[in-house]
Amino acid sequence: MPHADPHAPDFLRHHRPFVLYWLARVLFSGGNQIKDVAVGWQVYSLTGSALDLGLVGLIQFLPRLLLTAVAGDMADRHDRRKLAVAAQLLQTLGLATLAIASAGGFISRELIFAIVLVLGLAQTFQMPANAALLPALVPLVALPRALALSASAMQAATIVAPALGGLLYAFGAPLVYSLTTALLACSTLCLMRLPDVHVPRTLQGSAWERFVEGIRFIRQRRIIFGAISLDLFAVLFGGATALLPIIASELLQAGPWALGLLRSGPAIGALAMALWLAHHPLRRSVGRILYASVAAYGLSVIAFGLSTNLWLSVFFLALGGATDMVSMVIRQSLVQLQTPDDMRGRVSAVNSIFIGASNQLGEFESGLTAAWFGAVPSVLLGGAATLVVVGLWTRLFPQLMQADTLHDAPDTARN
């Protein structure tokens, strides 16, 4: 465990392993966001189907649903750095294939879906390995601040990357996919330079039994369970990312550059909030702050659905990104601070299912409801459903509302 002074204001800036980890996150997130813009616009251009946009999210989620038990177990038994590197290399090859297929003129809906499936498979193994790796790179007392700075890496890239992807798409999909390939390759090189923090572990039972142990660990801690399930359903219903190509092209009457701006919107607010939380960590009333932030997220989604102005839409998306960042930092801090190291891979794997369900499965839900009712009604219904979830969770998880700090929350209450 590193021994840098966690109270020094510039310790993270001078902590080389964390800087490499942070840079890897910037590059990976930037490439991933550019890829999402290209895939979304290309699929909609090829098919004109809102349902197909939703299927992109569902296809990415399926490997996580089926293989998370194996991925979490591997993250606890094997070198997490090497596992993350292997997963990113596979994603780099998948993006290179999209670049070649687009340049060669043999790109198709089916090929995009196949590559998206491969990317989802790789991310299934990458997420628990990456999440469990961070606590080994910084002192645990500094983990909430490190999580905020790590999240700021993703959001900083997300501000620039989608807009850049939308602008570059005017020059063709091959250029966009080539850029994403290069960014992921550089991110992988940064991960390869991280120190070896692997601790050999001998775990009892089968992979499935160990995964169930991770589920039981979360289930028995009502505050952790309440926090991650609240985020799951809020983003599952309230997320409108899959519908942004439709909003940009039909409601706002704009091109891929507007799609890039819309995708950058949440990151603008999220980055501002992440930087604030990195310098002003949450100390008290974290449960009440969590519920308030998720409710504000739902309201921002409704406001976005009612907007017909591009810049106003970007503003409401930024507001949603800021409130979602508060939820993310609280949730991740609770999970990492209150989980033993030998279980972090499995617990992070379970958490990744919740994240994947809220993001990728949420995209499918958005596409499906948009196909039934239209894009704008789908967004409005999602925002309203988020507010309903907040109301229900205050009754189902009163322990979460009462949580005061991230470190000493009374999370051992059982059913």
Side-chain angles (χ1 to χ4, degrees):
M1 180 69 65
H3 296 287
D5 179 8
H7 302 293
D10 59 349
F11 110 90
L12 288 177
R13 181 159 52 88
H14 295 296
H15 197 68
R16 185 174 178 273
F18 179 79
V19 171
L20 284 171
Y21 181 90
W22 187 91
L23 184 57
R25 294 276 285 177
V26 171
L27 294 169
F28 175 82
S29 181
N32 203 44
Q33 291 293 330
I34 293 174
K35 177 265 295 180
D36 286 344
V37 171
V39 168
W41 196 266
Q42 194 170 47
V43 167
Y44 194 61
S45 297
L46 289 172
T47 69
S49 169
L51 183 59
D52 280 345
L53 288 174
L55 284 174
V56 171
L58 178 63
I59 291 170
Q60 288 186 84
F61 176 68
L62 286 177
R64 194 170 303 173
L65 182 64
L66 298 175
L67 296 173
T68 292
V70 177
D73 188 64
M74 289 184 66
D76 278 338
R77 291 191 300 112
H78 301 289
D79 190 322
R80 291 161 179 169
R81 178 179 61 89
K82 292 180 179 178
L83 189 59
V85 166
Q88 287 200 186
L89 283 174
L90 181 57
Q91 292 174 79
T92 304
L93 292 175
L95 290 169
T97 302
L98 286 176
I100 294 170
S102 297
F106 56 90
I107 194 72
S108 66
R109 168 183 179 271
E110 289 71 24
L111 178 59
I112 294 175
F113 283 174
I115 297 299
V116 164
L117 181 64
V118 172
L119 298 179
L121 173 66
Q123 289 176 5
T124 298
F125 289 86
Q126 177 192 358
M127 288 187 68
N130 260 344
L133 184 62
L134 179 57
L137 300 176
V138 299
L140 289 182
V141 68
L143 186 60
R145 192 166 63 148
L147 283 168
L149 286 170
S150 177
S152 74
M154 295 179 59
Q155 304 309 327
T158 306
I159 291 174
V160 177
L164 179 62
L167 290 172
L168 291 179
Y169 198 91
F171 299 96
L175 174 63
V176 180
Y177 288 131
S178 297
L179 176 61
T180 62
T181 302
L183 289 173
L184 260 68
C186 292
S187 173
T188 305
L189 288 175
C190 289
L191 288 179
M192 293 173 68
R193 296 184 62 188
L194 287 176
D196 185 4
V197 293
H198 174 58
V199 178
R201 297 173 177 86
T202 302
L203 303 176
Q204 302 298 319
S206 66
W208 175 252
E209 289 172 339
R210 292 190 292 268
F211 178 68
V212 171
E213 185 181 1
I215 296 176
R216 189 180 299 115
F217 180 88
I218 292 175
R219 185 69 180 84
Q220 291 175 347
R221 284 152 177 81
R222 298 291 292 169
I223 286 179
I224 296 179
F225 185 41
I228 63 176
S229 59
L230 174 64
D231 179 80
L232 161 66
F233 288 104
V235 179
L236 174 65
F237 293 124
T241 304
L243 304 180
L244 293 183
I246 302 175
I247 299 293
S249 63
E250 297 184 7
L251 185 63
L252 302 176
Q253 298 294 307
W257 64 272
L259 172 60
L261 286 175
L262 291 175
R263 290 196 70 103
S264 296
I268 294 172
L271 175 61
M273 182 58 70
L275 293 175
W276 172 266
L277 292 174
H279 293 88
H280 303 84
L282 298 172
R283 302 188 186 280
R284 307 304 297 266
S285 303
V286 295
R288 293 181 182 277
I289 292 173
L290 176 62
Y291 277 116
S293 67
V294 176
Y297 173 78
L299 291 173
S300 70
V301 171
I302 294 174
F304 168 71
L306 295 173
S307 171
T308 57
N309 177 273
L310 173 61
W311 298 109
L312 199 56
S313 296
V314 171
F315 170 77
F316 287 126
L317 287 172
L319 182 60
T323 54
D324 187 52
M325 176 55 61
V326 177
S327 169
M328 189 282 293
V329 169
I330 293 175
R331 182 186 74 252
Q332 294 282 44
S333 297
L334 286 171
V335 171
Q336 297 293 356
L337 286 172
Q338 300 184 20
T339 301
D341 184 67
D342 63 350
M343 289 189 66
R344 282 201 177 106
R346 284 164 287 168
V347 171
S348 296
V350 177
N351 191 31
S352 76
I353 289 186
F354 283 75
I355 295 172
S358 63
N359 292 328
Q360 280 82 41
L361 200 57
E363 291 181 11
F364 176 68
E365 179 271 336
S366 296
L368 189 61
T369 55
W372 288 344
F373 308 115
V376 172
S378 173
V379 173
L380 296 177
L381 286 171
T386 297
L387 297 178
V388 171
V389 167
V390 173
L392 287 174
W393 257 238
T394 58
R395 293 182 174 274
L396 292 174
F397 297 93
Q399 304 94 333
L400 181 57
M401 176 69 79
Q402 298 162 7
D404 188 33
T405 71
L406 294 170
H407 293 276
D408 60 359
D411 65 346
T412 55
R414 300 170 184 255
N415 282 341

